[in-house]
Amino acid sequence: MSTSQAYTEMAELAGGFIHDVKNHISTLGLHLQLLTEDFAEPQNLRERRALERVRKLQGECNRLVEVSNDFLRFAKATELQRAPTDLNGVVSEIVDFFTPTARAAEIRINWYPCGILPWLLLDRESFKQALLNLMLNAEQAMPQGGDLLLQVRVEEERVCLAIIDSGVGIPAEELDKVFRPFHTTKPGGTGLGLPTVKRIVEAHEGRIEVQSEVGCGTQFVISLPKLR
C-alpha cells in the first residue's frame, strides 16, 4: 500500500470517528438546551450560576462542532468530481459571493480575469471552498480594511491564480508552518483552513505557494495544470 493510500484510509477512518462524535455532541447539546430552558428564569444565586455554567458548556459544544466540521472538510478534501471548468467563472462566482462580506469589512476587491484562458479539470464546489478559505484568511489579516487582489495568468502548461492581500503579513518563522494541520496563531482558530486548501489544490494536481512580509501583506499563488 502506498503512503497516499494509507493516508487516505486513515483520513476516512478518522472522518467516520468524527462523524460519530458529532452525533454524541448533538445529543449533549440538546440536553444542554433543555437545561437552559429549565433555568431560563433563575430564582436565586445558585440557579444563576448553574445557568452560566450551562451556557459555557453550550459554547464548548459549539466549538467542538466547529472543529469537527473543519476536520471533516479536511478529511474529504481529496474526494473530487472533476470536470472541464472555466477558472474565470469559478473565481467570479466566489468574488460575487464574498463581496458583501468584503464591503462590511471595508475591503476593496480587485479581480483581474484572464481574457483567453484554457479550461481546467476542476471540482467546482471544492475549489470554490478553497478560494473562500483563502479570502476569509485575507479578511482576518486586514482587520482595518484594505485591498484584496485576485489575478489569473497563463504560464506555459499551467494556469496560475494569485490571491494577494494588503494585510498584516505572516512572520518569516511562521511561513513554513501555515499548511501544517492544527497549527494556528489565531485565537479560536482550528488550524485546518489552509491545510484544507493545500489538500484540495494538490488533489487537483496543483501546487500552492505563499510569500509574505510583516506589515506588507501576503500572496498565495495556486498553480494548476491545463486540461490535456
Side-chain angles (χ1 to χ4, degrees):
M1 180 184 297
S2 69
T3 301
S4 178
Q5 289 174 321
Y7 190 88
T8 298
E9 287 192 7
M10 182 60 69
E12 289 176 353
L13 179 63
F17 173 75
I18 293 296
H19 183 75
D20 288 342
V21 169
K22 279 188 64 180
N23 289 336
H24 293 295
I25 294 173
S26 296
T27 301
L28 177 59
L30 175 60
H31 285 284
L32 288 172
Q33 180 60 39
L34 293 174
L35 280 173
T36 302
E37 294 172 4
D38 289 341
F39 289 111
E41 297 180 1
Q43 302 299 312
N44 51 53
L45 178 60
R46 182 178 181 182
E47 291 186 2
R48 285 195 293 272
R49 286 176 176 172
L51 179 60
E52 180 181 349
R53 288 167 182 164
V54 169
R55 285 176 173 165
K56 286 182 178 179
L57 287 173
Q58 282 183 306
E60 291 301 314
C61 279
N62 292 336
R63 173 65 176 159
L64 285 172
V65 169
E66 179 185 347
V67 173
S68 298
N69 287 337
D70 282 354
F71 183 83
L72 287 174
R73 281 190 285 268
F74 175 75
K76 295 178 178 179
T78 57
E79 298 178 7
L80 306 181
Q81 295 182 353
R82 299 165 71 187
T85 305
D86 172 27
L87 181 60
N88 282 334
V90 172
V91 179
S92 294
E93 283 183 26
I94 205 67
V95 166
D96 288 344
F97 176 80
F98 190 73
T99 293
T101 299
R103 285 176 180 162
E106 298 185 357
I107 294 172
R108 296 169 293 277
I109 299 179
N110 299 287
W111 160 222
Y112 300 99
C114 182
I116 302 176
L117 190 64
W119 287 55
L120 305 178
L121 201 58
L122 299 182
D123 181 309
R124 194 179 194 92
E125 293 307 314
S126 69
F127 197 79
K128 283 167 62 177
Q129 182 61 55
L131 291 182
L132 180 60
N133 281 0
L134 289 172
M135 295 171 80
L136 289 170
N137 194 72
E139 178 199 2
Q140 293 168 1
M142 297 185 284
Q144 306 303 319
D147 293 289
L148 178 61
L149 182 149
L150 296 95
Q151 184 174 32
V152 173
R153 64 181 185 272
V154 180
E155 294 184 354
E156 298 180 350
E157 296 303 313
R158 305 185 76 82
V159 175
C160 297
L161 169 63
I163 301 97
I164 306 168
D165 68 61
S166 61
V168 296
I170 303 170
E173 63 273 15
E174 293 291 328
L175 269 180
D176 62 345
K177 304 175 185 176
V178 296
F179 296 118
R180 185 181 301 172
F182 300 109
H183 175 78
T184 182
T185 58
K186 301 172 185 175
T190 63
L192 286 172
L194 290 178
T196 300
V197 171
K198 185 172 186 288
R199 276 171 60 81
I200 291 173
V201 170
E202 290 180 347
H204 283 87
E205 303 175 62
R207 300 188 298 266
I208 182 167
E209 298 176 348
V210 58
Q211 295 178 330
S212 187
E213 184 176 343
V214 173
C216 296
T218 300
Q219 172 179 266
F220 287 94
V221 177
I222 297 173
S223 170
L224 298 163
K226 295 179 183 178
L227 177 60
R228 296 179 179 87

